[in-house]
Amino acid sequence: MQVTQAYRFALNPSPRQERMLSSHAGAARYAWNWGLAACRDRYDAEGKWWSGAELHRLWNKAKKADSALGWWSENSKCVYQEAFRDLERALRDFVRSRKGARGGRHLGFPRFKKRGRCRDSFRFSTGALRCAGRTVTLPRLGVIATHESTRKLARRLDNGTARILSATVSRTAHRWHVSFTVRIDRDVPGRHARPGSAVGVDLGVATLLTAVDDHGTVIEITGPKALRAGLRKLRRLSKAHSRTQRGSANRTKAAGRLARHHARVANVRADALHKATSDLASRYETVVVEDLNVSGMVAHRRLARAVTDQGFGIARRMLAYKTGWHDGRLIVADRWFPSSKTCSGCGGRKPSLTLAERTFRCDACGLVLGRDVNAARNLLALAASGTERLNACGGDVRPGPGRAAAREAGTRHCARRSDRDRHRANDGYLSGELIPSPAPHGTVNGTC
């Protein structure tokens, strides 16, 4: 089974290499702004954009004619080309978002990038892209040391089971990273190691996840709550940063300390989610989760911080591809399926259940059970009915009353896609397509 996977390594560049990395990031930022200005000018005159390839041809002419652009040869040509491709993708997503053909939040018109106010990042798609030992080789940058061993990817490259497609270099806080996008021949077993096993997973705020498997075993993972644990230090660093003078060296140092703390919180959260989802995907063939309205939960002022600290969306995305790696499947319960209000013993449903009630008490059969455990049991019950319907009718059928379950799109066993996914696949983008004029400068909400 061929999959596209990313390998990310922390770089340990020399001072000279760090200056070169910053130069490449600045070149990518300049190319983005140059292409965006050209697209705006053409749209004002002709009502259509430049494509990425057209922008690259215009850039090749402009860089030779304009003496002020003589510095372009100091950086790799891929930096400019990939920046134009990113701009084309951003404009395409903006058009599709305006038409309602793109899922997710509504995207605004692309904005100009400013140093210090955007993420430093650039990408290589051609040239020498290699890794060996504790080093990586990148075009124009040469051999750069890494903080960790690259043996895991180097072994696959030597065996011929992996091929590097591109390398994206970015800076997070004080550290540079390189992410290799790799096409891998992954050995997926013909069947899961534990065929027939199933687990229902309820994501929560008090605990990261509460799961009940087909043997009745209850699994509770509290989660690190990284943001809550580091909130006191975060407030202290934020106050120290706000007290410094703009443009001073002390402000730069304070911003670095604050960024390092944010990066640590994100790393602790990602580590816990990776361990929890990997364990579930390897132990159970069928994993049932809820389709939570995360954006609505974040809008609640008392729940927003706790919800974002758990990372519900990241957990579901990880389960989606990790179950496929183990020849398993992920079933997503409908958003309106009353997993918490339904009694797992008799099937009775409560008319209302507040968030403060952490214990479920059934008035019909007298069952007293933890709220999250009861919800996990109800999700587990969908596994049997979901398997029966999915084998008979395909991935889009939602079995049971109230549209109980649906197959997660993108998993290995997904039989067919939803109407929205089919529309996305068939919707081509033409750079010359007319769309309503974008909002004036300074009034556009959102970024691409």
Side-chain angles (χ1 to χ4, degrees):
M1 176 183 178
Q2 283 196 344
V3 298
T4 302
Q5 187 175 340
Y7 287 83
R8 188 169 184 253
F9 304 105
L11 299 177
N12 186 21
S14 63
R16 175 180 172 275
Q17 290 174 335
E18 192 165 359
R19 289 192 296 269
M20 295 178 64
L21 291 171
S22 299
S23 177
H24 278 70
R29 184 171 57 248
Y30 183 89
W32 170 282
N33 294 337
W34 185 89
L36 182 57
C39 288
R40 283 182 178 272
D41 294 341
R42 187 185 185 188
Y43 188 85
D44 293 339
E46 304 177 22
K48 56 184 178 181
W49 319 115
W50 295 107
S51 66
E54 291 171 341
L55 285 173
H56 194 214
R57 287 193 292 267
L58 291 176
W59 169 257
N60 289 335
K61 296 179 181 178
K63 69 184 182 182
K64 298 176 182 178
D66 191 355
S67 59
L69 299 178
W71 50 264
W72 71 268
S73 59
E74 299 176 2
N75 307 293
S76 173
K77 63 178 183 180
C78 289
V79 173
Y80 310 100
Q81 184 176 3
E82 294 300 323
F84 296 142
R85 290 178 179 175
D86 291 341
L87 178 59
E88 180 186 7
R89 187 180 304 109
L91 291 171
R92 179 176 64 245
D93 291 342
F94 166 70
V95 174
R96 298 182 61 196
S97 180
R98 290 285 293 269
K99 292 182 176 181
R102 184 185 185 276
R105 64 181 180 89
H106 291 286
L107 299 181
F109 191 78
R111 294 182 177 182
F112 291 98
K113 296 183 178 181
K114 184 179 180 180
R115 183 178 61 180
R117 302 296 296 272
C118 66
R119 187 183 187 190
D120 291 336
S121 176
F122 57 93
R123 184 167 59 252
F124 298 108
S125 57
T126 59
L129 300 173
R130 295 188 295 269
C131 62
R134 299 177 69 93
T135 62
V136 296
T137 304
L138 300 175
R140 297 299 298 272
L141 299 174
V143 180
I144 305 177
T146 59
H147 284 279
E148 53 195 322
S149 176
T150 62
R151 179 178 52 192
K152 191 172 184 180
L153 174 58
R155 188 186 301 117
R156 285 186 173 272
L157 295 174
D158 295 337
N159 297 336
T161 58
R163 181 171 62 91
I164 297 178
L165 302 179
S166 64
T168 302
V169 182
S170 60
R171 181 166 60 182
T172 302
H174 67 296
R175 183 164 293 175
W176 289 91
H177 296 82
V178 57
S179 298
F180 291 104
T181 303
V182 186
R183 180 65 57 85
I184 295 178
D185 295 332
R186 193 175 188 90
D187 295 333
V188 177
R191 60 186 306 182
H192 196 272
R194 297 179 59 195
S197 57
V199 62
V201 180
D202 179 72
L203 299 173
V205 174
T207 59
L208 176 60
L209 62 87
T210 302
V212 177
D213 62 11
D214 48 350
H215 295 289
T217 305
V218 178
I219 305 170
E220 289 188 355
I221 300 178
T222 57
K225 295 184 175 63
L227 180 60
R228 180 180 179 182
L231 189 59
R232 183 177 180 181
K233 183 177 181 180
L234 177 63
R235 288 171 175 166
R236 186 177 72 251
L237 293 176
S238 298
K239 290 179 181 179
H241 176 262
S242 64
R243 289 172 181 147
T244 56
Q245 186 178 359
R246 292 183 180 272
S248 64
N250 287 335
R251 190 175 184 86
T252 302
K253 295 177 183 178
R257 290 190 291 266
L258 182 60
R260 286 193 292 272
H261 182 69
H262 277 294
R264 184 183 182 278
V265 169
N267 292 336
V268 171
R269 181 187 300 116
D271 179 70
L273 290 174
H274 271 294
K275 290 178 179 177
T277 54
S278 297
D279 181 63
L280 291 176
S282 61
R283 290 172 58 185
Y284 301 102
E285 181 183 20
T286 303
V287 181
V288 187
V289 295
E290 293 179 291
D291 182 17
L292 297 175
N293 182 18
V294 179
S295 59
M297 298 170 69
V298 171
H300 195 290
R301 66 185 184 92
R302 296 185 181 275
L303 289 177
R305 181 183 298 162
V307 170
T308 53
D309 198 13
Q310 297 290 55
F312 293 157
I314 302 176
R316 175 176 163 182
R317 179 179 60 84
M318 289 180 178
L319 285 172
Y321 67 81
K322 289 182 180 181
T323 50
W325 287 356
H326 293 84
D327 198 63
R329 59 177 181 172
L330 177 67
I331 297 178
V332 181
D334 187 80
R335 179 169 296 183
W336 307 109
F337 176 65
S339 59
S340 298
K341 298 180 181 179
T342 304
C343 176
S344 58
C346 64
R349 179 179 173 182
K350 280 193 171 185
S352 62
L353 185 67
T354 63
L355 291 175
E357 299 180 52
R358 306 311 304 171
T359 302
F360 181 87
R361 292 180 173 84
C362 182
D363 299 332
C365 64
L367 176 68
V368 178
L369 197 62
R371 176 196 181 107
D372 297 338
V373 176
N374 179 71
R377 281 188 175 184
N378 290 325
L379 294 172
L380 176 63
L382 297 179
S385 59
T387 303
E388 187 176 350
R389 287 294 188 92
L390 287 169
N391 290 339
C393 306
D396 289 339
V397 176
R398 297 180 175 180
R403 301 177 300 169
R407 177 67 63 129
E408 172 72 2
T411 55
R412 187 171 184 267
H413 289 274
C414 187
R416 60 186 182 183
R417 296 173 296 179
S418 64
D419 293 337
R420 175 178 291 179
D421 292 333
R422 286 195 295 269
H423 182 70
R424 291 178 185 176
N426 296 329
D427 183 21
Y429 169 73
L430 300 176
S431 60
E433 186 174 7
L434 292 175
I435 63 170
S437 177
H441 299 281
T443 62
V444 180
N445 295 324
T447 58
C448 292

